[in-house]
Amino acid sequence: MKILLADDEPIVRRGLREMIKNFNFSFDAVLDAGTGREAAALTERFRPEIVLLDIKMPGQDGLAAAQEIKRVNPPTEIIFLTAYAYFNYAQEAVRCGAKDYLVKPVHPKDLRQVISGCVEEISGSRSTATGSQNGLTRSQQFVKFAVEYIAKNYMKPLTLEQAAREVHLSPAYFSCLFSREQGQTFTEFLTATRLEKAKELLRTAPALPISDVAGEVGYEDVSYFSRVFKKKTGTTPARYRKKREYAK
């Protein structure tokens, strides 16, 4: 397995190389490029499985280089590097089919996590020969896992950052990916899941206090739970329960 480091700053490339060396991933080769065009040319020649690609480079930038890299070697996993945590960069990373994007200076823990995710996925793809699960795309697999994670943990103080860690993605990238595939934001989906579970409890457990219903679906503050419930359903939890009782 080969990895390519593309950044116009030699000191950054040396730092990345040193970090990767300390991770002990056993890459067959660690290549480096100083421009987007060089990165695309090296990808065509050596077919690296993973490319770390700086977005802002002179000449051909990382976004244009990513498109060229995906054209010459579609299986390549691209990890964008950027000095700016702009949301539109995360959107562009999703559009280019990148694995993730990291903000410089890159923290070793974050780099290890995203490379580890790439290595696991590449190994899994090779073992199954298809790289997919039940016909799902990679993005769909990430979101499917996240949806399952929410279903199992909605009753806990769950955050987007926690879910992103579970799928080895940065929060911004995961947020864009989830919204694109699911048609709603992570927070909207989590809230909808919690409220559906709350409705179920209100219907089936008439003696359960509203405060306990709130706690069972992940809301520590019953007042906040009631406000969210009313905003989304048009009625309070207590009135919702009464309507269901009268309907019996």
Side-chain angles (χ1 to χ4, degrees), residues 58-121:
Q60 185 182 51
D61 66 16
L63 296 172
Q67 294 176 14
E68 181 66 13
I69 287 169
K70 282 294 187 180
R71 186 186 69 78
V72 300
N73 193 39
T76 297
E77 296 281 11
I78 295 174
I79 303 165
F80 278 122
L81 304 175
T82 175
Y84 310 98
Y86 294 154
F87 184 73
N88 65 310
Y89 281 166
Q91 290 178 311
E92 287 295 326
V94 170
R95 187 178 64 79
C96 291
K99 169 72 175 180
D100 206 341
Y101 92 111
L102 300 172
V103 178
K104 296 191 290 186
V106 178
H107 192 283
K109 180 181 177 182
D110 296 332
L111 183 60
R112 178 193 289 273
Q113 178 175 294
V114 71
I115 291 178
S116 178
C118 287
V119 170
E120 288 175 12
E121 186 170 324

Side-chain angles (χ1 to χ4, degrees), residues 150-156 190 193-194 197 216-218:
I150 290 171
K152 295 175 183 177
N153 296 278
Y154 67 87
M155 70 295 296
K156 300 174 184 177
L190 175 59
T193 300
R194 285 172 165 169
K197 296 297 182 181
E216 288 288 331
V217 298

Side-chain angles (χ1 to χ4, degrees), residues 71-236:
R71 186 186 69 78
V72 300
N73 193 39
T76 297
E77 296 281 11
I78 295 174
I79 303 165
F80 278 122
L81 304 175
T82 175
Y84 310 98
Y86 294 154
F87 184 73
N88 65 310
Y89 281 166
Q91 290 178 311
E92 287 295 326
V94 170
R95 187 178 64 79
C96 291
K99 169 72 175 180
D100 206 341
Y101 92 111
L102 300 172
V103 178
K104 296 191 290 186
V106 178
H107 192 283
K109 180 181 177 182
D110 296 332
L111 183 60
R112 178 193 289 273
Q113 178 175 294
V114 71
I115 291 178
S116 178
C118 287
V119 170
E120 288 175 12
E121 186 170 324
I122 291 165
S123 298
S125 296
R126 287 174 173 174
S127 65
T128 61
T130 62
S132 64
Q133 195 177 61
N134 298 325
L136 297 179
T137 66
R138 183 182 66 184
S139 296
Q140 290 170 332
Q141 288 179 47
F142 284 136
V143 174
K144 180 176 181 289
F145 183 90
V147 167
E148 292 172 352
Y149 181 75
I150 290 171
K152 295 175 183 177
N153 296 278
Y154 67 87
M155 70 295 296
K156 300 174 184 177
L158 189 59
T159 65
L160 182 145
E161 286 74 18
Q162 288 173 307
R165 281 197 297 270
E166 289 294 320
V167 292
H168 305 293
L169 297 175
S170 67
Y173 186 85
F174 170 69
S175 178
C176 290
L177 201 64
F178 191 95
S179 296
R180 187 188 71 178
E181 295 293 333
Q182 201 62 26
Q184 58 187 152
T185 67
F186 172 85
T187 300
E188 289 169 344
F189 184 84
L190 175 59
T191 298
T193 300
R194 285 172 165 169
L195 293 185
E196 284 304 311
K197 296 297 182 181
K199 290 177 184 177
E200 183 180 335
L201 287 173
L202 291 169
R203 291 194 302 266
T204 60
L208 190 67
I210 300 297
S211 58
D212 288 355
V213 172
E216 288 288 331
V217 298
Y219 291 98
E220 296 180 359
D221 186 337
V222 66
S223 297
Y224 178 69
F225 163 69
S226 296
R227 288 198 301 273
V228 172
F229 192 96
K230 185 175 182 180
K231 180 180 179 181
K232 296 296 183 181
T233 66
T235 188
T236 65

